[in-house]
Tab-separated table of all heavy atoms in Angstrom:
chain	number	residue	atom	x	y	z
A	17	LEU	N	-8.708	6.943	-11.702
A	17	LEU	CA	-7.735	6.376	-10.856
A	17	LEU	C	-7.799	4.863	-10.901
A	17	LEU	O	-6.808	4.180	-10.901
A	17	LEU	CB	-7.841	6.880	-9.475
A	17	LEU	CG	-6.709	6.604	-8.492
A	17	LEU	CD1	-5.402	7.133	-9.045
A	17	LEU	CD2	-6.932	7.239	-7.128
A	18	GLU	N	-9.026	4.296	-11.012
A	18	GLU	CA	-9.166	2.860	-11.060
A	18	GLU	C	-8.478	2.285	-12.316
A	18	GLU	O	-7.830	1.231	-12.224
A	18	GLU	CB	-10.649	2.489	-11.085
A	18	GLU	CG	-10.941	1.018	-11.041
A	18	GLU	CD	-12.404	0.688	-11.012
A	18	GLU	OE1	-13.189	1.628	-10.813
A	18	GLU	OE2	-12.776	-0.464	-11.184
A	19	GLY	N	-8.610	2.970	-13.459
A	19	GLY	CA	-7.958	2.534	-14.668
A	19	GLY	C	-6.454	2.482	-14.533
A	19	GLY	O	-5.759	1.585	-15.021
A	20	PHE	N	-5.904	3.480	-13.813
A	20	PHE	CA	-4.422	3.524	-13.620
A	20	PHE	C	-3.995	2.354	-12.775
A	20	PHE	O	-3.000	1.719	-13.061
A	20	PHE	CB	-4.053	4.840	-12.914
A	20	PHE	CG	-2.644	4.916	-12.457
A	20	PHE	CD1	-1.593	5.153	-13.328
A	20	PHE	CD2	-2.342	4.645	-11.139
A	20	PHE	CE1	-0.293	5.168	-12.895
A	20	PHE	CE2	-1.016	4.619	-10.691
A	20	PHE	CZ	0.010	4.878	-11.552
A	21	ILE	N	-4.778	2.066	-11.729
A	21	ILE	CA	-4.444	0.934	-10.844
A	21	ILE	C	-4.534	-0.395	-11.640
A	21	ILE	O	-3.602	-1.214	-11.543
A	21	ILE	CB	-5.341	0.913	-9.616
A	21	ILE	CG1	-5.061	2.102	-8.703
A	21	ILE	CG2	-5.197	-0.430	-8.802
A	21	ILE	CD1	-6.048	2.332	-7.611
A	22	ASN	N	-5.591	-0.562	-12.385
A	22	ASN	CA	-5.706	-1.756	-13.179
A	22	ASN	C	-4.565	-1.949	-14.191
A	22	ASN	O	-4.010	-2.997	-14.340
A	22	ASN	CB	-7.048	-1.781	-13.916
A	22	ASN	CG	-8.241	-1.986	-13.000
A	22	ASN	OD1	-8.096	-2.570	-11.951
A	22	ASN	ND2	-9.374	-1.505	-13.409
A	23	GLY	N	-4.235	-0.827	-14.857
A	23	GLY	CA	-3.154	-0.880	-15.826
A	23	GLY	C	-1.821	-1.182	-15.169
A	23	GLY	O	-0.999	-1.938	-15.740
A	24	SER	N	-1.611	-0.654	-13.968
A	24	SER	CA	-0.345	-0.927	-13.280
A	24	SER	C	-0.275	-2.404	-12.857
A	24	SER	O	0.799	-2.978	-12.928
A	24	SER	CB	-0.271	0.002	-12.059
A	24	SER	OG	-0.218	1.362	-12.433
A	25	VAL	N	-1.354	-2.955	-12.401
A	25	VAL	CA	-1.379	-4.359	-12.019
A	25	VAL	C	-1.041	-5.248	-13.254
A	25	VAL	O	-0.210	-6.131	-13.185
A	25	VAL	CB	-2.698	-4.788	-11.359
A	25	VAL	CG1	-2.813	-6.289	-11.277
A	25	VAL	CG2	-2.843	-4.110	-10.036
A	26	VAL	N	-1.713	-4.964	-14.353
A	26	VAL	CA	-1.429	-5.730	-15.603
A	26	VAL	C	0.034	-5.562	-16.027
A	26	VAL	O	0.634	-6.544	-16.363
A	26	VAL	CB	-2.422	-5.361	-16.718
A	26	VAL	CG1	-2.015	-5.966	-18.049
A	26	VAL	CG2	-3.828	-5.745	-16.335
A	27	ALA	N	0.563	-4.382	-15.966
A	27	ALA	CA	1.922	-4.139	-16.383
A	27	ALA	C	2.892	-4.907	-15.460
A	27	ALA	O	3.873	-5.520	-15.982
A	27	ALA	CB	2.261	-2.651	-16.326
A	28	GLN	N	2.674	-4.929	-14.189
A	28	GLN	CA	3.509	-5.679	-13.267
A	28	GLN	C	3.357	-7.168	-13.540
A	28	GLN	O	4.382	-7.896	-13.501
A	28	GLN	CB	3.124	-5.412	-11.794
A	28	GLN	CG	3.628	-4.093	-11.329
A	28	GLN	CD	3.470	-3.868	-9.824
A	28	GLN	OE1	3.432	-4.870	-9.068
A	28	GLN	NE2	3.285	-2.638	-9.414
A	29	ALA	N	2.173	-7.681	-13.803
A	29	ALA	CA	1.999	-9.119	-14.084
A	29	ALA	C	2.722	-9.489	-15.388
A	29	ALA	O	3.345	-10.549	-15.434
A	29	ALA	CB	0.519	-9.419	-14.145
A	30	VAL	N	2.601	-8.683	-16.406
A	30	VAL	CA	3.344	-8.922	-17.630
A	30	VAL	C	4.836	-8.993	-17.445
A	30	VAL	O	5.536	-9.834	-17.960
A	30	VAL	CB	2.929	-7.939	-18.727
A	30	VAL	CG1	3.867	-8.006	-19.974
A	30	VAL	CG2	1.513	-8.134	-19.193
A	31	HIS	N	5.316	-8.005	-16.660
A	31	HIS	CA	6.751	-7.993	-16.355
A	31	HIS	C	7.157	-9.233	-15.597
A	31	HIS	O	8.241	-9.791	-15.931
A	31	HIS	CB	7.076	-6.742	-15.520
A	31	HIS	CG	8.501	-6.573	-15.147
A	31	HIS	ND1	9.449	-6.224	-16.050
A	31	HIS	CD2	9.093	-6.794	-13.944
A	31	HIS	CE1	10.668	-6.206	-15.435
A	31	HIS	NE2	10.466	-6.567	-14.171
A	32	ARG	N	6.401	-9.699	-14.717
A	32	ARG	CA	6.728	-10.954	-13.923
A	32	ARG	C	6.677	-12.142	-14.822
A	32	ARG	O	7.405	-13.084	-14.614
A	32	ARG	CB	5.809	-11.105	-12.738
A	32	ARG	CG	5.961	-10.046	-11.658
A	32	ARG	CD	5.004	-10.253	-10.557
A	32	ARG	NE	4.974	-9.119	-9.643
A	32	ARG	CZ	4.267	-9.032	-8.551
A	32	ARG	NH1	3.461	-10.012	-8.214
A	32	ARG	NH2	4.287	-7.986	-7.794
A	33	ALA	N	5.765	-12.173	-15.773
A	33	ALA	CA	5.576	-13.342	-16.665
A	33	ALA	C	6.748	-13.457	-17.638
A	33	ALA	O	6.998	-14.577	-18.118
A	33	ALA	CB	4.277	-13.210	-17.390
A	34	ARG	N	7.373	-12.393	-17.996
A	34	ARG	CA	8.444	-12.330	-18.992
A	34	ARG	C	7.931	-12.692	-20.416
A	34	ARG	O	8.074	-11.976	-21.327
A	34	ARG	CB	9.620	-13.258	-18.662
A	34	ARG	CG	10.293	-12.846	-17.330
A	34	ARG	CD	11.741	-13.217	-17.309
A	34	ARG	NE	12.428	-13.330	-16.076
A	34	ARG	CZ	12.531	-12.302	-15.169
A	34	ARG	NH1	11.915	-11.232	-15.340
A	34	ARG	NH2	13.227	-12.479	-14.100
A	35	GLU	N	7.328	-13.867	-20.563
A	35	GLU	CA	6.673	-14.239	-21.845
A	35	GLU	C	5.247	-14.553	-21.525
A	35	GLU	O	4.922	-15.722	-21.260
A	35	GLU	CB	7.402	-15.405	-22.475
A	35	GLU	CG	8.801	-15.135	-22.956
A	35	GLU	CD	9.481	-16.315	-23.625
A	35	GLU	OE1	8.753	-17.085	-24.278
A	35	GLU	OE2	10.694	-16.415	-23.475
A	36	PRO	N	4.371	-13.548	-21.501
A	36	PRO	CA	3.001	-13.757	-21.002
A	36	PRO	C	2.157	-14.673	-21.907
A	36	PRO	O	2.319	-14.646	-23.124
A	36	PRO	CB	2.438	-12.387	-20.941
A	36	PRO	CG	3.309	-11.519	-21.773
A	36	PRO	CD	4.615	-12.185	-21.861
A	37	SER	N	1.355	-15.439	-21.273
A	37	SER	CA	0.300	-16.233	-21.956
A	37	SER	C	-0.936	-16.154	-20.989
A	37	SER	O	-0.807	-15.801	-19.812
A	37	SER	CB	0.765	-17.690	-22.057
A	37	SER	OG	0.814	-18.319	-20.789
A	38	PRO	N	-2.095	-16.514	-21.504
A	38	PRO	CA	-3.250	-16.443	-20.587
A	38	PRO	C	-3.106	-17.287	-19.285
A	38	PRO	O	-3.373	-16.770	-18.198
A	38	PRO	CB	-4.400	-17.029	-21.467
A	38	PRO	CG	-4.021	-16.661	-22.839
A	38	PRO	CD	-2.482	-16.843	-22.869
A	39	GLN	N	-2.516	-18.499	-19.410
A	39	GLN	CA	-2.327	-19.303	-18.199
A	39	GLN	C	-1.309	-18.703	-17.276
A	39	GLN	O	-1.511	-18.719	-16.051
A	39	GLN	CB	-1.895	-20.716	-18.584
A	39	GLN	CG	-2.929	-21.756	-18.687
A	39	GLN	CD	-4.035	-21.634	-17.683
A	39	GLN	OE1	-5.026	-20.898	-17.904
A	39	GLN	NE2	-3.989	-22.345	-16.603
A	40	LYS	N	-0.231	-18.184	-17.838
A	40	LYS	CA	0.811	-17.569	-16.954
A	40	LYS	C	0.238	-16.309	-16.234
A	40	LYS	O	0.490	-16.130	-15.065
A	40	LYS	CB	2.002	-17.078	-17.814
A	40	LYS	CG	3.138	-18.032	-17.855
A	40	LYS	CD	4.314	-17.405	-18.490
A	40	LYS	CE	5.419	-18.387	-18.645
A	40	LYS	NZ	6.591	-17.775	-19.333
A	41	MET	N	-0.547	-15.534	-16.931
A	41	MET	CA	-1.152	-14.345	-16.306
A	41	MET	C	-2.071	-14.655	-15.195
A	41	MET	O	-2.036	-14.052	-14.113
A	41	MET	CB	-1.821	-13.466	-17.375
A	41	MET	CG	-0.931	-12.835	-18.413
A	41	MET	SD	0.242	-11.706	-17.716
A	41	MET	CE	-0.834	-10.346	-17.363
A	42	ILE	N	-2.860	-15.713	-15.401
A	42	ILE	CA	-3.794	-16.151	-14.327
A	42	ILE	C	-3.020	-16.616	-13.123
A	42	ILE	O	-3.295	-16.230	-11.921
A	42	ILE	CB	-4.738	-17.242	-14.833
A	42	ILE	CG1	-5.752	-16.643	-15.866
A	42	ILE	CG2	-5.475	-17.906	-13.684
A	42	ILE	CD1	-6.580	-17.634	-16.574
A	43	SER	N	-1.985	-17.443	-13.313
A	43	SER	CA	-1.238	-17.970	-12.201
A	43	SER	C	-0.443	-16.848	-11.513
A	43	SER	O	-0.338	-16.851	-10.248
A	43	SER	CB	-0.259	-19.078	-12.639
A	43	SER	OG	0.715	-18.605	-13.490
A	44	ILE	N	0.050	-15.878	-12.232
A	44	ILE	CA	0.779	-14.751	-11.563
A	44	ILE	C	-0.200	-13.893	-10.775
A	44	ILE	O	0.115	-13.530	-9.625
A	44	ILE	CB	1.517	-13.928	-12.670
A	44	ILE	CG1	2.748	-14.709	-13.089
A	44	ILE	CG2	1.923	-12.554	-12.097
A	44	ILE	CD1	3.392	-14.158	-14.350
A	45	LEU	N	-1.376	-13.592	-11.329
A	45	LEU	CA	-2.328	-12.752	-10.591
A	45	LEU	C	-2.841	-13.521	-9.394
A	45	LEU	O	-3.014	-12.918	-8.326
A	45	LEU	CB	-3.525	-12.454	-11.484
A	45	LEU	CG	-3.190	-11.399	-12.591
A	45	LEU	CD1	-4.352	-11.303	-13.573
A	45	LEU	CD2	-2.908	-10.013	-11.967
A	46	ASP	N	-3.021	-14.825	-9.486
A	46	ASP	CA	-3.514	-15.616	-8.332
A	46	ASP	C	-2.476	-15.756	-7.225
A	46	ASP	O	-2.792	-16.041	-6.075
A	46	ASP	CB	-3.953	-17.009	-8.762
A	46	ASP	CG	-5.312	-16.997	-9.432
A	46	ASP	OD1	-6.015	-15.948	-9.329
A	46	ASP	OD2	-5.655	-18.018	-10.034
A	47	ALA	N	-1.215	-15.613	-7.561
A	47	ALA	CA	-0.158	-15.868	-6.590
A	47	ALA	C	0.477	-14.641	-5.963
A	47	ALA	O	1.281	-14.731	-5.109
A	47	ALA	CB	0.975	-16.679	-7.285
A	48	GLY	N	0.064	-13.446	-6.421
A	48	GLY	CA	0.829	-12.311	-6.007
A	48	GLY	C	0.089	-11.160	-5.372
A	48	GLY	O	-1.103	-10.919	-5.612
A	49	ASP	N	0.854	-10.386	-4.637
A	49	ASP	CA	0.441	-9.078	-4.155
A	49	ASP	C	1.092	-8.130	-5.073
A	49	ASP	O	2.216	-8.270	-5.566
A	49	ASP	CB	1.035	-8.836	-2.744
A	49	ASP	CG	0.251	-9.609	-1.685
A	49	ASP	OD1	-0.968	-9.726	-1.786
A	49	ASP	OD2	0.893	-10.053	-0.667
A	50	PHE	N	0.373	-7.015	-5.308
A	50	PHE	CA	0.876	-5.984	-6.205
A	50	PHE	C	0.819	-4.666	-5.436
A	50	PHE	O	-0.188	-4.333	-4.793
A	50	PHE	CB	0.008	-5.886	-7.445
A	50	PHE	CG	0.006	-7.117	-8.277
A	50	PHE	CD1	-0.856	-8.151	-8.040
A	50	PHE	CD2	0.995	-7.255	-9.304
A	50	PHE	CE1	-0.797	-9.299	-8.766
A	50	PHE	CE2	1.032	-8.416	-10.044
A	50	PHE	CZ	0.163	-9.439	-9.813
A	51	ASP	N	1.915	-3.959	-5.403
A	51	ASP	CA	2.052	-2.662	-4.745
A	51	ASP	C	2.047	-1.555	-5.812
A	51	ASP	O	2.978	-1.473	-6.578
A	51	ASP	CB	3.351	-2.610	-3.904
A	51	ASP	CG	3.433	-1.373	-3.041
A	51	ASP	OD1	2.652	-0.425	-3.266
A	51	ASP	OD2	4.306	-1.316	-2.177
A	52	ILE	N	1.016	-0.774	-5.753
A	52	ILE	CA	0.905	0.332	-6.741
A	52	ILE	C	1.091	1.625	-5.989
A	52	ILE	O	0.201	2.284	-5.545
A	52	ILE	CB	-0.506	0.323	-7.387
A	52	ILE	CG1	-0.878	-1.053	-7.879
A	52	ILE	CG2	-0.571	1.334	-8.502
A	52	ILE	CD1	0.043	-1.677	-8.926
A	53	GLY	N	2.368	1.980	-5.739
A	53	GLY	CA	2.654	3.201	-5.059
A	53	GLY	C	2.103	3.292	-3.649
A	53	GLY	O	1.623	4.284	-3.185
A	54	GLY	N	2.108	2.159	-2.904
A	54	GLY	CA	1.593	2.097	-1.538
A	54	GLY	C	0.210	1.591	-1.462
A	54	GLY	O	-0.270	1.275	-0.417
A	55	TYR	N	-0.519	1.485	-2.569
A	55	TYR	CA	-1.835	0.898	-2.651
A	55	TYR	C	-1.667	-0.574	-2.966
A	55	TYR	O	-1.113	-0.889	-4.038
A	55	TYR	CB	-2.678	1.596	-3.679
A	55	TYR	CG	-4.133	1.134	-3.742
A	55	TYR	CD1	-5.050	1.659	-2.809
A	55	TYR	CD2	-4.546	0.236	-4.619
A	55	TYR	CE1	-6.381	1.234	-2.838
A	55	TYR	CE2	-5.822	-0.204	-4.723
A	55	TYR	CZ	-6.742	0.314	-3.802
A	55	TYR	OH	-8.062	-0.144	-3.807
A	56	ARG	N	-2.085	-1.476	-2.068
A	56	ARG	CA	-1.881	-2.894	-2.286
A	56	ARG	C	-3.094	-3.564	-2.902
A	56	ARG	O	-4.221	-3.312	-2.494
A	56	ARG	CB	-1.514	-3.559	-0.900
A	56	ARG	CG	-0.242	-2.928	-0.350
A	56	ARG	CD	0.403	-3.733	0.676
A	56	ARG	NE	0.900	-4.991	0.237
A	56	ARG	CZ	2.083	-5.147	-0.439
A	56	ARG	NH1	2.802	-4.113	-0.729
A	56	ARG	NH2	2.482	-6.356	-0.720
A	57	VAL	N	-2.808	-4.417	-3.883
A	57	VAL	CA	-3.845	-5.167	-4.577
A	57	VAL	C	-3.439	-6.601	-4.448
A	57	VAL	O	-2.294	-6.982	-4.703
A	57	VAL	CB	-3.973	-4.753	-6.058
A	57	VAL	CG1	-4.980	-5.598	-6.768
A	57	VAL	CG2	-4.324	-3.253	-6.168
A	58	ARG	N	-4.427	-7.511	-4.096
A	58	ARG	CA	-4.121	-8.938	-3.968
A	58	ARG	C	-5.229	-9.735	-4.599
A	58	ARG	O	-6.393	-9.578	-4.289
A	58	ARG	CB	-3.940	-9.272	-2.486
A	58	ARG	CG	-3.673	-10.787	-2.299
A	58	ARG	CD	-3.630	-11.152	-0.820
A	58	ARG	NE	-3.556	-12.576	-0.724
A	58	ARG	CZ	-2.368	-13.207	-0.458
A	58	ARG	NH1	-1.297	-12.558	-0.366
A	58	ARG	NH2	-2.425	-14.518	-0.425
A	59	TYR	N	-4.854	-10.694	-5.427
A	59	TYR	CA	-5.788	-11.667	-6.014
A	59	TYR	C	-5.396	-13.054	-5.551
A	59	TYR	O	-4.226	-13.351	-5.358
A	59	TYR	CB	-5.669	-11.631	-7.571
A	59	TYR	CG	-6.045	-10.321	-8.152
A	59	TYR	CD1	-5.062	-9.387	-8.559
A	59	TYR	CD2	-7.367	-10.024	-8.395
A	59	TYR	CE1	-5.444	-8.209	-9.096
A	59	TYR	CE2	-7.743	-8.807	-8.946
A	59	TYR	CZ	-6.748	-7.904	-9.342
A	59	TYR	OH	-7.093	-6.729	-9.889
A	60	THR	N	-6.427	-13.893	-5.382
A	60	THR	CA	-6.210	-15.329	-5.084
A	60	THR	C	-7.201	-16.098	-5.917
A	60	THR	O	-8.100	-15.498	-6.520
A	60	THR	CB	-6.444	-15.633	-3.573
A	60	THR	OG1	-7.834	-15.454	-3.302
A	60	THR	CG2	-5.603	-14.792	-2.679
A	61	THR	N	-7.109	-17.416	-5.937
A	61	THR	CA	-8.075	-18.199	-6.690
A	61	THR	C	-9.456	-18.064	-6.169
A	61	THR	O	-10.415	-18.244	-6.870
A	61	THR	CB	-7.632	-19.731	-6.704
A	61	THR	OG1	-7.450	-20.124	-5.344
A	61	THR	CG2	-6.352	-19.923	-7.449
A	62	ASN	N	-9.590	-17.746	-4.854
A	62	ASN	CA	-10.912	-17.623	-4.187
A	62	ASN	C	-11.380	-16.122	-4.145
A	62	ASN	O	-12.541	-15.946	-3.817
A	62	ASN	CB	-10.855	-18.160	-2.777
A	62	ASN	CG	-10.582	-19.639	-2.779
A	62	ASN	OD1	-10.981	-20.360	-3.649
A	62	ASN	ND2	-9.841	-20.071	-1.757
A	63	ASN	N	-10.540	-15.211	-4.416
A	63	ASN	CA	-10.931	-13.797	-4.375
A	63	ASN	C	-10.299	-13.022	-5.530
A	63	ASN	O	-9.147	-12.773	-5.531
A	63	ASN	CB	-10.421	-13.199	-3.050
A	63	ASN	CG	-10.888	-11.719	-2.886
A	63	ASN	OD1	-11.486	-11.184	-3.780
A	63	ASN	ND2	-10.500	-11.143	-1.774
A	64	ARG	N	-11.090	-12.685	-6.436
A	64	ARG	CA	-10.612	-11.937	-7.685
A	64	ARG	C	-10.999	-10.523	-7.717
A	64	ARG	O	-11.033	-9.838	-8.729
A	64	ARG	CB	-11.177	-12.683	-8.921
A	64	ARG	CG	-10.762	-14.158	-9.078
A	64	ARG	CD	-9.653	-14.270	-10.026
A	64	ARG	NE	-8.970	-15.551	-9.979
A	64	ARG	CZ	-9.168	-16.563	-10.830
A	64	ARG	NH1	-10.074	-16.423	-11.782
A	64	ARG	NH2	-8.455	-17.641	-10.677
A	65	ARG	N	-11.312	-9.975	-6.554
A	65	ARG	CA	-11.657	-8.510	-6.385
A	65	ARG	C	-10.364	-7.654	-6.443
A	65	ARG	O	-10.457	-6.563	-6.918
A	65	ARG	CB	-12.329	-8.246	-5.112
A	65	ARG	CG	-13.765	-8.744	-5.113
A	65	ARG	CD	-14.411	-8.206	-3.860
A	65	ARG	NE	-15.678	-8.827	-3.623
A	65	ARG	CZ	-16.395	-8.740	-2.547
A	65	ARG	NH1	-15.864	-8.056	-1.524
A	65	ARG	NH2	-17.523	-9.299	-2.391
A	66	GLY	N	-9.357	-8.045	-5.852
A	66	GLY	CA	-8.130	-7.245	-5.780
A	66	GLY	C	-8.120	-6.328	-4.584
A	66	GLY	O	-7.129	-6.292	-3.888
A	67	SER	N	-9.239	-5.592	-4.363
A	67	SER	CA	-9.314	-4.679	-3.229
A	67	SER	C	-10.757	-4.451	-2.889
A	67	SER	O	-11.604	-4.492	-3.783
A	67	SER	CB	-8.617	-3.312	-3.607
A	67	SER	OG	-8.858	-2.399	-2.599
A	68	ASN	N	-10.995	-4.183	-1.661
A	68	ASN	CA	-12.352	-3.823	-1.167
A	68	ASN	C	-12.542	-2.362	-0.965
A	68	ASN	O	-13.617	-1.893	-0.583
A	68	ASN	CB	-12.697	-4.561	0.121
A	68	ASN	CG	-12.816	-6.057	-0.081
A	68	ASN	OD1	-13.243	-6.519	-1.152
A	68	ASN	ND2	-12.400	-6.805	0.908
A	69	TYR	N	-11.461	-1.599	-1.140
A	69	TYR	CA	-11.424	-0.167	-0.834
A	69	TYR	C	-12.043	0.646	-2.003
A	69	TYR	O	-11.652	0.447	-3.195
A	69	TYR	CB	-9.981	0.302	-0.624
A	69	TYR	CG	-9.917	1.719	-0.233
A	69	TYR	CD1	-10.287	2.190	1.041
A	69	TYR	CD2	-9.467	2.681	-1.155
A	69	TYR	CE1	-10.194	3.542	1.387
A	69	TYR	CE2	-9.384	4.027	-0.826
A	69	TYR	CZ	-9.759	4.459	0.436
A	69	TYR	OH	-9.631	5.721	0.768
A	70	VAL	N	-13.009	1.494	-1.692
A	70	VAL	CA	-13.633	2.405	-2.650
A	70	VAL	C	-13.676	3.788	-2.019
A	70	VAL	O	-14.122	3.901	-0.870
A	70	VAL	CB	-14.978	1.925	-3.073
A	70	VAL	CG1	-15.706	2.926	-3.978
A	70	VAL	CG2	-14.979	0.523	-3.622
A	71	GLN	N	-13.314	4.801	-2.730
A	71	GLN	CA	-13.419	6.145	-2.271
A	71	GLN	C	-13.667	7.091	-3.434
A	71	GLN	O	-13.020	6.965	-4.509
A	71	GLN	CB	-12.156	6.563	-1.513
A	71	GLN	CG	-12.264	8.001	-1.009
A	71	GLN	CD	-11.084	8.382	-0.136
A	71	GLN	OE1	-10.175	7.604	0.082
A	71	GLN	NE2	-11.084	9.569	0.390
A	72	MET	N	-14.604	7.970	-3.322
A	72	MET	CA	-14.904	8.930	-4.340
A	72	MET	C	-13.811	9.972	-4.283
A	72	MET	O	-13.360	10.454	-3.242
A	72	MET	CB	-16.240	9.578	-4.139
A	72	MET	CG	-17.417	8.662	-4.334
A	72	MET	SD	-17.571	8.124	-6.038
A	72	MET	CE	-18.107	9.635	-6.778
A	73	SER	N	-13.347	10.384	-5.464
A	73	SER	CA	-12.365	11.478	-5.551
A	73	SER	C	-12.674	12.260	-6.860
A	73	SER	O	-13.203	11.762	-7.786
A	73	SER	CB	-10.969	10.910	-5.504
A	73	SER	OG	-10.816	9.915	-6.479
A	74	VAL	N	-12.179	13.481	-6.832
A	74	VAL	CA	-12.404	14.383	-7.953
A	74	VAL	C	-11.072	15.057	-8.234
A	74	VAL	O	-10.361	15.457	-7.333
A	74	VAL	CB	-13.495	15.426	-7.621
A	74	VAL	CG1	-13.613	16.432	-8.727
A	74	VAL	CG2	-14.796	14.821	-7.325
A	75	VAL	N	-10.747	15.191	-9.540
A	75	VAL	CA	-9.593	16.034	-9.936
A	75	VAL	C	-10.106	17.446	-10.138
A	75	VAL	O	-11.001	17.640	-10.982
A	75	VAL	CB	-8.931	15.474	-11.183
A	75	VAL	CG1	-7.774	16.324	-11.616
A	75	VAL	CG2	-8.499	14.026	-10.967
A	76	GLY	N	-9.619	18.379	-9.363
A	76	GLY	CA	-10.053	19.762	-9.447
A	76	GLY	C	-9.502	20.463	-10.676
A	76	GLY	O	-8.693	19.957	-11.468
A	77	SER	N	-9.992	21.689	-10.931
A	77	SER	CA	-9.587	22.459	-12.054
A	77	SER	C	-8.113	22.771	-12.039
A	77	SER	O	-7.504	23.046	-13.049
A	77	SER	CB	-10.407	23.744	-12.156
A	77	SER	OG	-10.183	24.518	-10.974
A	78	ASP	N	-7.502	22.738	-10.826
A	78	ASP	CA	-6.069	22.945	-10.706
A	78	ASP	C	-5.236	21.664	-10.926
A	78	ASP	O	-4.057	21.691	-10.787
A	78	ASP	CB	-5.721	23.589	-9.349
A	78	ASP	CG	-6.113	22.658	-8.166
A	78	ASP	OD1	-6.718	21.589	-8.411
A	78	ASP	OD2	-5.862	23.004	-7.039
A	79	GLY	N	-5.920	20.579	-11.195
A	79	GLY	CA	-5.227	19.287	-11.489
A	79	GLY	C	-4.921	18.488	-10.234
A	79	GLY	O	-4.294	17.459	-10.310
A	80	ARG	N	-5.330	18.975	-9.067
A	80	ARG	CA	-5.071	18.277	-7.798
A	80	ARG	C	-6.223	17.353	-7.467
A	80	ARG	O	-7.355	17.642	-7.722
A	80	ARG	CB	-4.825	19.283	-6.688
A	80	ARG	CG	-3.599	20.186	-6.989
A	80	ARG	CD	-3.314	21.120	-5.897
A	80	ARG	NE	-2.809	20.309	-4.786
A	80	ARG	CZ	-2.494	20.804	-3.632
A	80	ARG	NH1	-2.669	22.054	-3.349
A	80	ARG	NH2	-2.086	20.009	-2.644
A	81	LEU	N	-5.895	16.227	-6.796
A	81	LEU	CA	-6.840	15.256	-6.400
A	81	LEU	C	-7.509	15.707	-5.131
A	81	LEU	O	-6.904	16.112	-4.148
A	81	LEU	CB	-6.157	13.899	-6.154
A	81	LEU	CG	-7.054	12.698	-5.854
A	81	LEU	CD1	-7.979	12.434	-7.064
A	81	LEU	CD2	-6.211	11.492	-5.567
A	82	GLN	N	-8.859	15.761	-5.134
A	82	GLN	CA	-9.643	16.136	-3.952
A	82	GLN	C	-10.403	14.926	-3.474
A	82	GLN	O	-11.150	14.328	-4.243
A	82	GLN	CB	-10.581	17.277	-4.331
A	82	GLN	CG	-9.898	18.469	-4.832
A	82	GLN	CD	-10.864	19.541	-5.433
A	82	GLN	OE1	-12.088	19.320	-5.417
A	82	GLN	NE2	-10.313	20.635	-5.878
A	83	VAL	N	-10.279	14.578	-2.222
A	83	VAL	CA	-10.910	13.395	-1.701
A	83	VAL	C	-12.081	13.791	-0.792
A	83	VAL	O	-12.043	14.723	-0.086
A	83	VAL	CB	-9.911	12.538	-0.898
A	83	VAL	CG1	-10.460	11.145	-0.686
A	83	VAL	CG2	-8.561	12.456	-1.551
């Protein structure tokens, strides 16, 4: 799930940049909130964690997420 969230943040940042470059990506990530289906991620120049929330989860044999 973490990889999905990271990929979604990068995809949104690339979309906002229109013509991405390393400097543009850094400024977009530092300036924005990202909403990943209700899960909010925020980066600033002083905080590059994105989120402090951690929860263990397992995908069961039926394909459903178990928390």
Side-chain angles (χ1 to χ4, degrees):
L17 193 55
E18 183 178 350
F20 171 79
I21 292 169
N22 290 335
S24 297
V25 168
V26 170
Q28 284 188 28
V30 168
H31 180 74
R32 292 178 191 182
R34 299 208 198 305
E35 293 182 32
S37 70
Q39 264 324 83
K40 264 190 184 178
M41 292 297 288
I42 290 169
S43 65
I44 286 169
L45 289 170
D46 282 347
D49 285 322
F50 297 88
D51 186 347
I52 312 300
Y55 185 82
R56 300 199 65 79
V57 177
R58 179 183 171 100
Y59 297 98
T60 67
T61 54
N62 297 325
N63 182 359
R64 298 258 166 102
R65 287 187 190 169
S67 173
N68 292 328
Y69 181 76
V70 176
Q71 181 173 0
M72 291 294 290
S73 53
V74 175
V75 178
S77 60
D78 60 356
R80 298 183 70 183
L81 187 62
Q82 301 171 0
V83 196

